[in-house]
Amino acid sequence: SQQGEEDPQALSIQEGENATMNCSYKTSINNLQWYRQNSGRGLVHLILIRSNEREKHSGRLRVTLDTSKKSSSLLITASRAADTASYFCYNNNDMRFGAGTRLTVKP
Amino acid sequence: DAGVIQSPRHEVTEMGQEVTLRCKPISGHNSLFWYRQTMMRGLELLIYFNNNVPIDDSGMPEDRFSAKMPNASFSTLKIQPSEPRDSAVYFCASSPPGQNNEKLFFGSGTQLSVL
């Protein structure tokens, strides 16, 4: 069963807009990670946020964590067509991935 | 670094046949994961090895599935006999020691089709 649930399942936006994806998890976490998967490829690590952190930035990525709600969000600012991919959250405590959000950025 | 190497890239087989998927983790990494990805069930953890020892195999679907890690540089996932419902993309991932699996490195996957 999926330990993390992302929403939305699919998101379509125009280039330049921001994209926000959410993840909820059920078990406790040591840290929460976000990964990206281009079609037909393996997953690539994007960013990690620890359980004692609330916000983390990396380039155009911003991750927030709310342990009281067991949820996290990934924000991609100023999106580009090359950001088109699926995005997954990952709980390293139970080693499970969420269901993923499929992001389409239209040029 | 060559990254995590999986073979074959694609496998087409008939129901009832034995299938063996192979993985070479990144040199120096001591954690190895096998995941299965389908549209219906998403990414499922099949088995997790640490220092060549299976730590969590609760995701292995049934006795038809078996995984081995005879040494730090090689792992296999075997399905015998294969069934059409085993059709999926199988990923191997590794992570380095001392980081509590804070970053997984994935192979390109094996696309398995069981007819």
Side-chain angles (χ1 to χ4, degrees):
Chain A
S1 64
Q2 297 295 322
Q3 289 295 298
E5 298 295 329
E6 273 95 335
D7 75 87
Q9 291 187 344
L11 180 62
S12 182
I13 59 175
Q14 293 293 135
E15 211 165 23
E17 294 180 340
N18 295 340
T20 299
M21 290 159 273
N22 303 298
C23 164
S24 62
Y25 55 92
K26 296 179 181 178
T27 65
S28 62
I29 60 167
N30 297 316
N31 62 66
L32 195 85
Q33 302 166 37
W34 285 87
Y35 286 78
R36 164 192 170 129
Q37 183 181 33
N38 286 79
S39 181
R41 309 292 291 272
L43 281 73
V44 175
H45 185 273
L46 292 176
I47 191 168
L48 174 153
I49 187 164
R50 301 187 189 284
S51 59
N52 61 353
E53 297 176 318
R54 293 297 168 259
E55 189 170 309
K56 196 94 172 270
H57 295 255
S58 177
R60 295 186 295 114
L61 303 180
R62 181 171 78 99
V63 173
T64 61
L65 180 65
D66 186 336
T67 53
S68 66
K69 296 180 180 179
K70 292 189 175 179
S71 67
S72 173
S73 67
L74 172 68
L75 169 67
I76 303 174
T77 61
S79 64
R80 306 166 182 168
D83 294 328
T84 295
S86 292
Y87 293 83
F88 297 87
C89 65
Y90 176 77
N91 178 347
N92 90 314
N93 204 19
D94 63 13
M95 299 176 288
R96 265 70 176 176
F97 283 91
T101 294
R102 188 166 57 253
L103 173 66
T104 302
V105 182
K106 300 176 182 177
Chain B
D1 197 326
V4 176
I5 300 173
Q6 291 188 246
S7 65
R9 189 78 171 90
H10 302 275
E11 177 79 35
V12 180
T13 190
E14 292 188 347
M15 183 174 63
Q17 296 298 306
E18 177 180 298
V19 175
T20 299
L21 310 181
R22 296 173 174 79
C23 175
K24 177 179 169 55
I26 293 173
S27 178
H29 285 194
N30 70 334
S31 290
L32 186 138
F33 307 78
W34 282 99
Y35 286 92
R36 177 172 69 176
Q37 186 176 35
T38 60
M39 288 294 292
M40 291 297 296
R41 299 178 66 87
L43 280 154
E44 300 174 279
L45 174 68
L46 297 177
I47 189 167
Y48 161 57
F49 291 90
N50 185 259
N51 292 324
N52 313 337
V53 176
I55 304 299
D56 182 351
D57 65 355
S58 59
M60 294 288 266
E62 48 200 91
D63 291 346
R64 297 186 298 108
F65 285 68
S66 62
K68 294 182 180 179
M69 193 163 185
N71 56 62
S73 59
F74 185 64
S75 177
T76 58
L77 178 67
K78 185 178 293 186
I79 308 172
Q80 166 63 22
S82 58
E83 297 182 1
R85 59 192 170 120
D86 301 330
S87 297
V89 182
Y90 290 80
F91 287 104
C92 176
S94 69
S95 74
Q99 296 186 10
N100 196 25
N101 300 324
E102 291 185 350
K103 186 174 182 178
L104 273 59
F105 295 78
F106 278 77
S108 297
T110 295
Q111 173 79 59
L112 174 65
S113 298
V114 183
L115 307 177

